Amino acid sequence: HPGGAVAGGLKAMRRLAPEGLRDPATAIYFGLILASAGDANAAAPLLAQATKVRLLPEEESLVREADFALSKR
Protein backbone atom coordinates (compact mmCIF):
# COMPACT_ATOMS: atom_id res chain seq x y z
CA HIS A 1 0.00 0.00 0.00
CA PRO A 2 1.25 3.51 -0.75
CA GLY A 3 2.29 5.66 2.21
CA GLY A 4 -0.92 7.59 2.82
CA ALA A 5 -3.26 4.85 1.70
CA VAL A 6 -3.71 3.36 5.18
CA ALA A 7 -5.12 6.57 6.66
CA GLY A 8 -7.37 7.08 3.65
CA GLY A 9 -8.49 3.45 3.74
CA LEU A 10 -9.34 3.68 7.44
CA LYS A 11 -11.32 6.84 6.86
CA ALA A 12 -13.29 5.27 4.00
CA MET A 13 -13.99 2.00 5.81
CA ARG A 14 -15.12 3.75 8.98
CA ARG A 15 -17.78 5.53 6.94
CA LEU A 16 -19.42 2.20 6.12
CA ALA A 17 -22.55 1.30 7.97
CA PRO A 18 -21.91 -1.46 10.54
CA GLU A 19 -24.03 -3.82 8.42
CA GLY A 20 -21.36 -3.54 5.72
CA LEU A 21 -18.97 -5.51 7.89
CA ARG A 22 -21.35 -8.47 7.89
CA ASP A 23 -20.07 -9.19 4.39
CA PRO A 24 -16.94 -11.29 5.01
CA ALA A 25 -15.14 -9.93 1.95
CA THR A 26 -15.60 -6.34 3.14
CA ALA A 27 -14.66 -7.28 6.70
CA ILE A 28 -11.46 -8.94 5.52
CA TYR A 29 -10.33 -5.86 3.61
CA PHE A 30 -11.10 -3.65 6.61
CA GLY A 31 -9.09 -6.11 8.71
CA LEU A 32 -6.16 -5.82 6.32
CA ILE A 33 -6.26 -2.04 6.57
CA LEU A 34 -6.48 -2.16 10.37
CA ALA A 35 -3.57 -4.62 10.47
CA SER A 36 -1.51 -2.24 8.31
CA ALA A 37 -2.34 0.51 10.79
CA GLY A 38 -1.17 -1.72 13.65
CA ASP A 39 -4.59 -2.16 15.30
CA ALA A 40 -4.31 -5.87 16.11
CA ASN A 41 -7.33 -5.97 18.44
CA ALA A 42 -9.70 -4.63 15.81
CA ALA A 43 -8.10 -6.46 12.87
CA ALA A 44 -8.02 -10.01 14.26
CA PRO A 45 -11.77 -10.75 14.37
CA LEU A 46 -12.24 -9.28 10.91
CA LEU A 47 -9.39 -11.30 9.42
CA ALA A 48 -10.82 -14.42 11.05
CA GLN A 49 -13.73 -14.14 8.63
CA ALA A 50 -11.37 -15.27 5.86
CA THR A 51 -12.40 -18.84 6.67
CA LYS A 52 -16.00 -18.04 5.68
CA VAL A 53 -15.32 -17.16 2.05
CA ARG A 54 -13.30 -18.39 -0.87
CA LEU A 55 -10.40 -16.03 -1.43
CA LEU A 56 -8.13 -15.51 -4.39
CA PRO A 57 -4.59 -16.78 -3.82
CA GLU A 58 -3.37 -13.19 -3.58
CA GLU A 59 -5.98 -12.40 -0.92
CA GLU A 60 -5.05 -15.53 1.04
CA SER A 61 -1.44 -14.38 0.98
CA LEU A 62 -2.38 -10.93 2.26
CA VAL A 63 -4.41 -12.41 5.12
CA ARG A 64 -1.56 -14.79 6.07
CA GLU A 65 0.95 -11.93 6.02
CA ALA A 66 -1.32 -9.74 8.16
CA ASP A 67 -1.93 -12.57 10.65
CA PHE A 68 1.81 -13.20 10.87
CA ALA A 69 2.59 -9.50 11.38
CA LEU A 70 -0.06 -9.19 14.08
CA SER A 71 1.22 -12.27 15.90
CA LYS A 72 4.62 -10.60 16.23
CA ARG A 73 3.21 -7.53 18.04
Coordinates of all heavy atoms in Angstrom, one line a residue:
H1 N 0.8 -1.2 0.0 CA 0.0 0.0 0.0 C 0.9 1.2 0.0 O 1.9 1.3 0.7 CB -0.9 0.0 1.2 CG -0.2 -0.2 2.5 ND1 0.5 0.8 3.1 CD2 -0.1 -1.2 3.3 CE1 1.0 0.4 4.2 NE2 0.7 -0.9 4.4
P2 N 0.5 2.3 -0.8 CA 1.2 3.5 -0.8 C 1.2 4.2 0.6 O 0.3 3.9 1.4 CB 0.5 4.4 -1.8 CG -0.2 3.4 -2.7 CD -0.5 2.2 -1.7
G3 N 2.1 5.0 0.9 CA 2.3 5.7 2.2 C 1.0 6.2 2.9 O 0.7 5.8 4.0
G4 N 0.3 7.0 2.2 CA -0.9 7.6 2.8 C -2.2 6.8 2.6 O -3.3 7.2 3.1
A5 N -2.1 5.6 2.0 CA -3.3 4.9 1.7 C -3.9 4.3 2.9 O -5.1 4.1 3.0 CB -2.9 3.7 0.7
V6 N -3.1 4.0 4.0 CA -3.7 3.4 5.2 C -4.7 4.3 5.8 O -5.8 4.0 6.2 CB -2.6 2.9 6.2 CG1 -3.2 2.5 7.5 CG2 -1.8 1.8 5.6
A7 N -4.2 5.6 6.0 CA -5.1 6.6 6.7 C -6.4 6.8 5.8 O -7.5 6.9 6.4 CB -4.4 7.9 6.9
G8 N -6.2 6.9 4.5 CA -7.4 7.1 3.6 C -8.3 5.9 3.7 O -9.5 6.0 3.7
G9 N -7.7 4.7 3.7 CA -8.5 3.5 3.7 C -9.3 3.4 5.0 O -10.5 3.0 5.0
L10 N -8.6 3.7 6.1 CA -9.3 3.7 7.4 C -10.5 4.7 7.4 O -11.6 4.3 7.9 CB -8.4 4.0 8.6 CG -7.4 3.0 9.0 CD1 -6.4 3.5 10.0 CD2 -8.1 1.8 9.6
K11 N -10.3 5.8 6.9 CA -11.3 6.8 6.9 C -12.5 6.4 6.0 O -13.7 6.5 6.4 CB -10.8 8.1 6.3 CG -11.7 9.3 6.3 CD -11.0 10.6 5.8 CE -12.0 11.7 5.8 NZ -11.3 13.0 5.3
A12 N -12.2 5.8 4.9 CA -13.3 5.3 4.0 C -14.0 4.1 4.6 O -15.3 4.1 4.6 CB -12.7 4.8 2.7
M13 N -13.3 3.2 5.2 CA -14.0 2.0 5.8 C -14.8 2.4 7.0 O -15.8 1.8 7.3 CB -13.0 0.9 6.2 CG -12.3 0.3 5.0 SD -13.4 -0.5 3.8 CE -13.7 -2.0 4.6
R14 N -14.4 3.3 7.8 CA -15.1 3.8 9.0 C -16.4 4.5 8.6 O -17.3 4.6 9.5 CB -14.2 4.6 9.9 CG -13.2 3.8 10.6 CD -12.4 4.5 11.6 NE -11.6 3.5 12.4 CZ -10.3 3.7 12.6 NH1 -9.7 4.9 12.3 NH2 -9.6 2.8 13.3
R15 N -16.5 4.9 7.4 CA -17.8 5.5 6.9 C -18.9 4.5 6.6 O -20.0 4.8 6.5 CB -17.5 6.4 5.7 CG -16.9 7.7 6.0 CD -16.9 8.6 4.8 NE -15.7 9.3 4.8 CZ -15.0 9.6 3.7 NH1 -15.4 9.2 2.5 NH2 -13.9 10.2 3.8
L16 N -18.4 3.3 6.4 CA -19.4 2.2 6.1 C -20.4 2.0 7.3 O -20.0 2.1 8.4 CB -18.7 0.9 5.9 CG -18.0 0.7 4.6 CD1 -17.3 -0.7 4.6 CD2 -18.9 0.8 3.4
A17 N -21.6 1.7 6.9 CA -22.6 1.3 8.0 C -22.1 0.0 8.6 O -21.5 -0.9 7.9 CB -23.9 1.1 7.4
P18 N -22.3 -0.2 9.9 CA -21.9 -1.5 10.5 C -22.4 -2.7 9.8 O -21.7 -3.7 9.8 CB -22.5 -1.4 11.9 CG -22.7 0.1 12.2 CD -23.0 0.7 10.8
E19 N -23.5 -2.7 9.2 CA -24.0 -3.8 8.4 C -23.1 -4.2 7.3 O -23.0 -5.4 6.9 CB -25.4 -3.5 7.8 CG -26.5 -3.0 8.7 CD -26.4 -1.5 8.9 OE1 -26.4 -0.8 8.0 OE2 -26.3 -1.1 10.1
G20 N -22.3 -3.3 6.8 CA -21.4 -3.5 5.7 C -20.3 -4.6 6.1 O -19.8 -5.3 5.3
L21 N -20.0 -4.6 7.4 CA -19.0 -5.5 7.9 C -19.5 -6.9 8.1 O -18.8 -7.8 8.4 CB -18.4 -5.0 9.2 CG -17.5 -3.7 9.0 CD1 -17.0 -3.3 10.4 CD2 -16.4 -3.9 8.0
R22 N -20.8 -7.1 7.8 CA -21.3 -8.5 7.9 C -20.9 -9.3 6.6 O -21.0 -10.5 6.6 CB -22.9 -8.4 8.0 CG -23.3 -7.9 9.4 CD -24.8 -8.1 9.6 NE -25.2 -7.4 10.8 CZ -26.2 -6.6 10.9 NH1 -26.9 -6.3 9.8 NH2 -26.5 -5.9 12.0
D23 N -20.6 -8.5 5.6 CA -20.1 -9.2 4.4 C -18.6 -9.6 4.7 O -17.8 -8.7 4.9 CB -20.2 -8.2 3.2 CG -19.5 -8.8 2.0 OD1 -19.5 -10.0 1.8 OD2 -18.9 -7.9 1.2
P24 N -18.3 -10.9 4.7 CA -16.9 -11.3 5.0 C -15.9 -10.7 4.1 O -14.8 -10.3 4.6 CB -17.0 -12.8 4.9 CG -18.4 -13.2 5.1 CD -19.2 -12.0 4.5
A25 N -16.1 -10.5 2.8 CA -15.1 -9.9 1.9 C -14.8 -8.5 2.4 O -13.6 -8.1 2.4 CB -15.6 -10.0 0.5
T26 N -15.8 -7.7 2.7 CA -15.6 -6.3 3.1 C -14.9 -6.3 4.5 O -13.9 -5.6 4.7 CB -16.9 -5.6 3.3 OG1 -17.6 -5.6 2.0 CG2 -16.7 -4.2 3.7
A27 N -15.3 -7.2 5.4 CA -14.7 -7.3 6.7 C -13.2 -7.6 6.6 O -12.3 -7.1 7.3 CB -15.4 -8.3 7.6
I28 N -12.9 -8.5 5.7 CA -11.5 -8.9 5.5 C -10.6 -7.8 5.1 O -9.5 -7.5 5.6 CB -11.3 -10.1 4.5 CG1 -12.0 -11.4 5.2 CG2 -9.9 -10.4 4.1 CD1 -12.2 -12.5 4.2
Y29 N -11.1 -7.0 4.1 CA -10.3 -5.9 3.6 C -10.2 -4.8 4.7 O -9.1 -4.2 4.8 CB -10.9 -5.3 2.3 CG -10.4 -6.1 1.1 CD1 -11.2 -7.1 0.6 CD2 -9.2 -5.8 0.6 CE1 -10.7 -7.9 -0.5 CE2 -8.7 -6.5 -0.5 CZ -9.5 -7.6 -1.0 OH -9.0 -8.3 -2.0
F30 N -11.2 -4.6 5.5 CA -11.1 -3.7 6.6 C -10.1 -4.2 7.6 O -9.2 -3.4 8.1 CB -12.5 -3.4 7.3 CG -12.5 -2.3 8.2 CD1 -11.6 -1.2 8.2 CD2 -13.5 -2.3 9.2 CE1 -11.7 -0.2 9.1 CE2 -13.5 -1.2 10.1 CZ -12.6 -0.2 10.1
G31 N -10.1 -5.5 7.8 CA -9.1 -6.1 8.7 C -7.7 -5.9 8.2 O -6.8 -5.7 9.0
L32 N -7.5 -6.0 6.9 CA -6.2 -5.8 6.3 C -5.7 -4.4 6.5 O -4.5 -4.1 6.9 CB -6.2 -6.2 4.8 CG -6.3 -7.6 4.5 CD1 -6.6 -7.8 3.0 CD2 -5.1 -8.4 4.9
I33 N -6.6 -3.4 6.4 CA -6.3 -2.0 6.6 C -5.9 -1.8 8.0 O -4.9 -1.1 8.4 CB -7.4 -1.1 6.1 CG1 -7.5 -1.2 4.6 CG2 -7.1 0.3 6.5 CD1 -8.8 -0.6 4.0
L34 N -6.7 -2.3 8.9 CA -6.5 -2.2 10.4 C -5.2 -2.8 10.8 O -4.4 -2.2 11.6 CB -7.6 -2.8 11.2 CG -8.9 -2.0 11.1 CD1 -10.1 -2.8 11.7 CD2 -8.8 -0.7 11.9
A35 N -4.9 -4.0 10.2 CA -3.6 -4.6 10.5 C -2.4 -3.7 10.0 O -1.4 -3.6 10.7 CB -3.5 -6.0 9.8
S36 N -2.6 -3.1 8.8 CA -1.5 -2.2 8.3 C -1.3 -1.0 9.2 O -0.2 -0.5 9.3 CB -1.9 -1.8 6.9 OG -1.8 -2.8 6.0
A37 N -2.4 -0.6 9.9 CA -2.3 0.5 10.8 C -1.8 0.1 12.2 O -1.6 0.9 13.0 CB -3.7 1.2 10.9
G38 N -1.7 -1.2 12.4 CA -1.2 -1.7 13.7 C -2.2 -2.0 14.7 O -1.9 -2.2 15.9
D39 N -3.5 -2.0 14.3 CA -4.6 -2.2 15.3 C -5.0 -3.6 15.3 O -6.0 -4.1 14.8 CB -5.8 -1.3 14.9 CG -6.8 -1.3 16.0 OD1 -6.8 -2.1 16.9 OD2 -7.7 -0.4 15.9
A40 N -4.1 -4.4 16.1 CA -4.3 -5.9 16.1 C -5.7 -6.3 16.7 O -6.3 -7.2 16.3 CB -3.2 -6.5 16.9
N41 N -6.1 -5.6 17.8 CA -7.3 -6.0 18.4 C -8.5 -5.8 17.5 O -9.4 -6.7 17.6 CB -7.5 -5.1 19.7 CG -6.5 -5.5 20.8 OD1 -6.0 -6.6 20.8 ND2 -6.2 -4.5 21.6
A42 N -8.6 -4.8 16.7 CA -9.7 -4.6 15.8 C -9.6 -5.5 14.6 O -10.6 -6.0 14.0 CB -9.8 -3.2 15.4
A43 N -8.3 -5.7 14.1 CA -8.1 -6.5 12.9 C -8.4 -8.0 13.0 O -8.9 -8.6 12.1 CB -6.7 -6.2 12.4
A44 N -8.0 -8.5 14.1 CA -8.0 -10.0 14.3 C -9.4 -10.6 14.0 O -9.5 -11.6 13.2 CB -7.5 -10.4 15.6
P45 N -10.5 -10.1 14.6 CA -11.8 -10.8 14.4 C -12.3 -10.6 12.9 O -13.0 -11.4 12.4 CB -12.7 -10.1 15.4 CG -12.0 -8.9 15.8 CD -10.6 -9.1 15.6
L46 N -11.9 -9.5 12.3 CA -12.2 -9.3 10.9 C -11.5 -10.2 10.0 O -12.1 -10.8 9.1 CB -12.0 -7.8 10.5 CG -12.9 -6.8 11.3 CD1 -12.4 -5.4 11.0 CD2 -14.3 -7.0 11.0
L47 N -10.2 -10.4 10.2 CA -9.4 -11.3 9.4 C -9.8 -12.7 9.6 O -9.7 -13.6 8.7 CB -7.9 -11.1 9.7 CG -7.3 -9.8 9.3 CD1 -5.9 -9.7 9.9 CD2 -7.3 -9.6 7.8
A48 N -10.4 -13.1 10.8 CA -10.8 -14.4 11.0 C -12.0 -14.8 10.1 O -12.2 -16.0 9.9 CB -11.3 -14.5 12.5
Q49 N -12.6 -13.8 9.5 CA -13.7 -14.1 8.6 C -13.2 -14.7 7.3 O -14.0 -15.1 6.5 CB -14.6 -12.9 8.4 CG -15.3 -12.5 9.7 CD -16.4 -11.4 9.4 OE1 -17.0 -11.5 8.4 NE2 -16.5 -10.5 10.3
A50 N -11.9 -14.7 7.1 CA -11.4 -15.3 5.9 C -11.7 -16.7 5.7 O -11.8 -17.2 4.6 CB -9.9 -15.1 5.8
T51 N -12.0 -17.4 6.8 CA -12.4 -18.8 6.7 C -13.8 -19.0 6.1 O -14.2 -20.1 5.8 CB -12.3 -19.5 8.0 OG1 -13.2 -18.9 9.0 CG2 -10.8 -19.5 8.6
K52 N -14.6 -18.0 6.1 CA -16.0 -18.0 5.7 C -16.2 -17.9 4.2 O -17.3 -18.1 3.7 CB -16.8 -17.0 6.4 CG -16.9 -17.2 7.9 CD -17.7 -16.1 8.6 CE -17.7 -16.3 10.1 NZ -18.5 -15.2 10.7
V53 N -15.2 -17.4 3.5 CA -15.3 -17.2 2.1 C -14.2 -17.8 1.3 O -13.1 -18.0 1.8 CB -15.4 -15.6 1.8 CG1 -16.6 -15.0 2.3 CG2 -14.2 -14.9 2.3
R54 N -14.4 -17.9 0.0 CA -13.3 -18.4 -0.9 C -12.5 -17.2 -1.3 O -13.1 -16.2 -1.9 CB -13.9 -19.1 -2.1 CG -12.9 -19.7 -2.9 CD -13.6 -20.6 -4.0 NE -12.6 -21.0 -5.0 CZ -12.1 -22.3 -5.0 NH1 -12.5 -23.2 -4.1 NH2 -11.2 -22.6 -5.9
L55 N -11.2 -17.2 -1.1 CA -10.4 -16.0 -1.4 C -9.5 -16.4 -2.6 O -9.2 -17.5 -2.9 CB -9.5 -15.7 -0.3 CG -10.2 -15.2 1.0 CD1 -9.1 -15.0 2.1 CD2 -11.0 -14.0 0.8
L56 N -9.1 -15.4 -3.3 CA -8.1 -15.5 -4.4 C -6.8 -15.8 -3.7 O -6.6 -15.4 -2.6 CB -8.0 -14.2 -5.2 CG -9.3 -13.8 -6.0 CD1 -9.1 -12.4 -6.6 CD2 -9.6 -14.8 -7.1
P57 N -5.9 -16.5 -4.4 CA -4.6 -16.8 -3.8 C -3.9 -15.5 -3.3 O -3.2 -15.6 -2.2 CB -3.8 -17.4 -5.0 CG -4.9 -18.0 -5.8 CD -6.0 -17.1 -5.7
E58 N -4.0 -14.4 -4.0 CA -3.4 -13.2 -3.6 C -4.0 -12.7 -2.3 O -3.3 -12.2 -1.4 CB -3.5 -12.1 -4.7 CG -2.8 -12.4 -6.0 CD -3.7 -13.3 -6.9 OE1 -4.8 -13.7 -6.5 OE2 -3.3 -13.5 -8.0
E59 N -5.3 -12.8 -2.1 CA -6.0 -12.4 -0.9 C -5.6 -13.3 0.2 O -5.3 -12.8 1.4 CB -7.5 -12.4 -1.1 CG -8.0 -11.4 -2.1 CD -9.4 -11.6 -2.5 OE1 -9.9 -12.7 -2.6 OE2 -10.1 -10.6 -2.6
E60 N -5.5 -14.6 0.0 CA -5.0 -15.5 1.0 C -3.7 -15.2 1.5 O -3.4 -15.2 2.7 CB -5.0 -17.0 0.5 CG -6.4 -17.5 0.3 CD -6.4 -18.9 -0.4 OE1 -5.2 -19.4 -0.6 OE2 -7.4 -19.5 -0.6
S61 N -2.8 -14.8 0.6 CA -1.4 -14.4 1.0 C -1.5 -13.1 1.8 O -0.7 -13.0 2.8 CB -0.6 -14.2 -0.3 OG 0.7 -13.7 0.0
L62 N -2.3 -12.2 1.5 CA -2.4 -10.9 2.3 C -2.9 -11.2 3.7 O -2.3 -10.7 4.7 CB -3.3 -9.9 1.6 CG -2.8 -9.3 0.3 CD1 -3.9 -8.5 -0.4 CD2 -1.6 -8.4 0.6
V63 N -3.9 -12.1 3.8 CA -4.4 -12.4 5.1 C -3.3 -13.1 5.9 O -3.1 -12.8 7.1 CB -5.7 -13.2 5.0 CG1 -6.1 -13.8 6.4 CG2 -6.8 -12.4 4.4
R64 N -2.6 -14.1 5.3 CA -1.6 -14.8 6.1 C -0.5 -13.8 6.5 O 0.0 -13.9 7.7 CB -0.9 -15.9 5.2 CG -1.7 -17.2 5.2 CD -0.8 -18.3 4.6 NE -0.3 -18.0 3.3 CZ -0.9 -18.2 2.1 NH1 -2.2 -18.6 2.1 NH2 -0.4 -17.8 1.0
E65 N -0.1 -12.9 5.7 CA 0.9 -11.9 6.0 C 0.5 -11.0 7.2 O 1.2 -10.7 8.1 CB 1.3 -11.1 4.8 CG 2.1 -11.8 3.8 CD 2.3 -11.0 2.5 OE1 2.2 -9.8 2.6 OE2 2.6 -11.6 1.5
A66 N -0.8 -10.6 7.1 CA -1.3 -9.7 8.2 C -1.4 -10.5 9.5 O -1.0 -10.0 10.5 CB -2.7 -9.2 7.8
D67 N -1.9 -11.8 9.4 CA -1.9 -12.6 10.6 C -0.5 -12.7 11.3 O -0.4 -12.6 12.5 CB -2.5 -13.9 10.3 CG -4.0 -13.9 10.2 OD1 -4.7 -13.0 10.7 OD2 -4.6 -14.9 9.6
F68 N 0.5 -13.0 10.4 CA 1.8 -13.2 10.9 C 2.3 -11.9 11.5 O 2.9 -11.9 12.6 CB 2.7 -13.6 9.7 CG 4.1 -13.8 10.1 CD1 4.5 -15.0 10.9 CD2 5.1 -12.9 9.8 CE1 5.8 -15.1 11.2 CE2 6.4 -13.1 10.2 CZ 6.8 -14.2 10.9
A69 N 2.1 -10.8 10.8 CA 2.6 -9.5 11.4 C 1.9 -9.2 12.7 O 2.6 -8.7 13.6 CB 2.3 -8.4 10.4
L70 N 0.6 -9.5 12.8 CA -0.1 -9.2 14.1 C 0.4 -10.1 15.2 O 0.4 -9.7 16.4 CB -1.6 -9.3 13.9 CG -2.2 -8.3 13.0 CD1 -3.7 -8.6 12.8 CD2 -2.0 -6.9 13.5
S71 N 0.8 -11.3 14.9 CA 1.2 -12.3 15.9 C 2.6 -11.9 16.5 O 2.9 -12.3 17.6 CB 1.3 -13.7 15.3 OG 2.4 -13.8 14.5
K72 N 3.3 -11.0 15.8 CA 4.6 -10.6 16.2 C 4.5 -9.4 17.1 O 5.5 -8.9 17.7 CB 5.5 -10.3 15.0 CG 5.8 -11.6 14.3 CD 7.2 -11.4 13.6 CE 7.7 -12.7 13.3 NZ 8.9 -13.1 13.9
R73 N 3.3 -8.8 17.2 CA 3.2 -7.5 18.0 C 2.9 -7.9 19.5 O 2.3 -8.7 19.9 CB 2.1 -6.7 17.5 CG 2.5 -6.1 16.1 CD 1.5 -5.3 15.5 NE 1.8 -5.0 14.2 CZ 1.8 -3.8 13.6 NH1 1.4 -2.8 14.3 NH2 2.2 -3.6 12.4

